[in-house]
Amino acid sequence: LNIEEADKVINIVDIMTPDPVTISPKDTIKQAAKLFAEKRFLVVPVVENGEIMGILSVKDIIHSIAYFS
């Protein structure tokens, strides 16, 4: 199956995670790092009051630790 064929038969709704693990903007870097380590995630949606505020990545955490150290 190439990308053109996949584009015709696969919709995002068919492959997305319907109820993803999220993190709050009020959580700490330590909490986020623990979540990434335990779940082996590279990114996680940041959600507050049911609204997506952004996406947090492992790269974001590493950058913040390096920047504020």
Side-chain angles (χ1 to χ4, degrees):
L1 191 66
N2 64 38
I3 190 70
E4 288 81 18
E5 293 168 333
D7 195 42
K8 293 176 185 174
V9 297
I10 301 172
N11 295 313
I12 297 300
V13 71
D14 298 326
I15 59 173
M16 70 180 196
T17 302
D19 189 22
V21 173
T22 63
I23 196 163
S24 166
K26 295 177 178 80
D27 287 335
T28 65
I29 290 175
K30 185 175 180 178
Q31 290 170 310
K34 184 176 179 183
L35 177 66
F36 282 120
E38 289 175 351
K39 301 290 186 176
R40 303 180 66 104
F41 291 158
L42 296 177
V43 297
V44 66
V46 180
V47 175
E48 186 171 48
N49 300 322
E51 184 176 335
I52 295 177
M53 307 302 293
I55 301 291
L56 180 70
S57 70
V58 170
K59 181 181 171 183
D60 296 329
I61 292 175
I62 292 168
H63 181 264
S64 67
I65 291 170
Y67 182 78
F68 291 109
S69 294

